Amino acid sequence: MKLHINTPLIESLSVGKGLNGKVWLKLENCQPCGSFKARGVGYACHQHVINGAKKLVTSSGGNAGLAVAYAGRVLNIPVTVVVPTTTKISAINLIKEQGAEVVIKGDAWDEAHQYGLQLTEKDGGYIHPFDDPLLWEGHSTLIDEVIETGIKPDAVVLSVGGGGLLSGIVKGLRKNKLFDVPVIAVETDGASSLAASMNAGKLVSVSQIMSVASSLGAKKVSQHAFELTNTHPIYSHIVTDKQAIKACSQFLNEHRYLVEPACGASLAAVYDSRVILKEKSNILIVVCGGVGINTEQLKEWSRSLGV
Ligand SMILES: *Cc1c(COP(=O)(O)O)cnc(C)c1O
């Protein structure tokens, strides 16, 4: 059973303007829960249910929490989402709308995560938002779908929070024997935990998150994601919040899709930093999506960042 949909893959003349090659958008914003999380989370939830889980638990007030709530509704199994006190009421409402129970615990994600693990002990399945091989397996289907269309990317642009998407995409590239295809791993300045570890040459945490791209706000990427930077051509790229928001506006106007700043970051990397992509023929952008935005919020961010 598949909980995600096969998303559209479209060429974008506007995002690719000024580049020599073609730019392809994999529209994960079209997933039923609004982001690529449907893939990995859907797969992981289904595996847990096959293995006898009687409930599903996660610890994310963002797109991962919503994806677990969605999966639980479709699989007809109860879901508890533990979220920290900082979670927006609009996010909590979306999760509840899927029929999940929301428990508010702790001031930061780590506390919600620890409590979620406790709740899972007996007969539950715990879904980590980014550090779980089951998730990577599910995320890897994105590359399978692209290959099935006959398009072979020679560069992939994606956003990095805790590195679950990155891990899944590299897995998908390897599955399809695309060992040398570079991945541009984009973060916002203020949420650049992968860049921090790559610079340090070891896995490190950033002390605090200061970015509007809250879906990229993991203080430390997974060990696995960091290790991939030694075995796959992964190039770290950082954009400002302002660039990410500007990209969200531009993308909305050009393609009529509203995406989170976490996703705008990847778009900004292509809009603004064409140099690294100049000699590529088929650039794949993972339009990761995200539900944590509306037109009012975009206006407010644009105003405060001077876009
Ligand atoms: C989860 C998420 C990310 C980051 O993914 P990781 O697997 O944590 O690296 C980026 N964008 C959106 C919209 C997300 O929901």
Side-chain angles (χ1 to χ4, degrees):
M1 184 174 180
K2 187 176 100 168
L3 294 168
H4 64 267
I5 64 165
N6 191 333
T7 53
L9 179 70
I10 62 169
E11 191 189 346
S12 176
L13 295 177
S14 54
V15 182
K17 201 187 268 173
L19 287 171
N20 300 317
K22 290 180 191 285
V23 166
W24 298 95
L25 307 175
K26 187 64 172 155
L27 294 172
E28 292 301 296
N29 58 309
C30 295
Q31 289 292 350
C33 60
S35 78
F36 73 93
K37 295 276 188 339
R39 294 180 185 272
V41 166
Y43 181 76
C45 289
H46 192 213
Q47 291 303 306
H48 282 296
V49 169
I50 288 171
N51 293 329
K54 296 284 180 284
K55 64 176 180 187
L56 298 168
V57 181
T58 192
S59 55
S60 151
N63 296 307
L66 183 62
V68 176
Y70 168 76
R73 182 168 65 79
V74 175
L75 292 165
N76 202 15
I77 178 170
V79 170
T80 303
V81 181
V82 186
V83 302
T85 50
T86 48
T87 309
K88 279 186 194 157
I89 190 73
S90 53
I92 290 174
N93 287 341
L94 278 175
I95 293 167
K96 284 185 173 166
E97 192 179 74
Q98 295 286 348
E101 181 195 10
V102 175
V103 175
I104 301 171
K105 190 87 183 174
D107 295 330
W109 176 76
D110 301 82
E111 286 167 69
H113 170 62
Q114 289 307 327
Y115 188 69
L117 285 173
Q118 278 174 33
L119 286 184
T120 318
E121 261 158 24
K122 275 210 306 299
D123 50 2
Y126 184 73
I127 317 292
H128 192 286
F130 57 83
D131 192 3
D132 180 348
L134 292 174
L135 282 187
W136 311 332
E137 177 63 35
H139 293 339
S140 76
T141 59
L142 188 152
I143 296 296
D144 299 335
E145 276 172 27
V146 172
I147 299 304
E148 275 162 25
T149 67
I151 290 153
K152 246 193 186 173
D154 56 3
V156 181
V157 181
L158 54 76
S159 300
V160 175
L165 178 60
L166 173 66
S167 300
I169 293 300
V170 171
K171 190 179 173 94
L173 290 172
R174 289 176 171 175
K175 211 194 299 177
N176 289 283
K177 307 223 172 351
L178 300 173
F179 302 102
D180 301 327
V181 172
V183 176
I184 319 300
V186 188
E187 297 173 293
T188 49
D189 193 12
S192 51
S193 47
L194 179 69
S197 289
M198 287 174 78
N199 288 337
K202 60 177 201 252
L203 191 61
V204 296
S205 298
V206 297
S207 53
Q208 57 175 333
I209 299 295
M210 295 245 287
S211 170
V212 293
S214 55
S215 293
L216 306 186
K219 286 186 184 165
K220 190 168 79 175
V221 298
S222 73
Q223 178 75 35
H224 180 74
F226 173 64
E227 281 169 7
L228 285 177
T229 63
N230 293 318
T231 58
H232 193 89
I234 294 172
Y235 298 90
S236 167
H237 184 79
I238 297 177
V239 301
T240 61
D241 275 0
K242 185 173 176 177
Q243 283 176 297
I245 293 299
K246 190 165 162 251
C248 288
S249 285
Q250 199 171 337
F251 191 64
L252 175 63
N253 290 329
E254 292 172 354
H255 279 282
R256 298 153 303 279
Y257 286 125
L258 181 57
V259 296
E260 279 185 19
C263 180
S266 277
L267 296 166
V270 182
Y271 278 131
D272 298 344
S273 309
R274 288 139 191 286
V275 187
I276 38 171
L277 299 168
K278 265 274 168 8
E279 71 284 22
K280 299 297 176 190
S281 311
N282 285 292
I283 300 154
L284 175 69
I285 308 180
V286 178
V287 181
C288 49
V291 302
I293 187 148
N294 56 38
T295 48
E296 274 310 306
Q297 179 73 75
L298 179 61
K299 260 190 229 153
E300 199 178 306
W301 278 328
S302 298
R303 199 163 35 223
S304 65
L305 292 163
V307 173

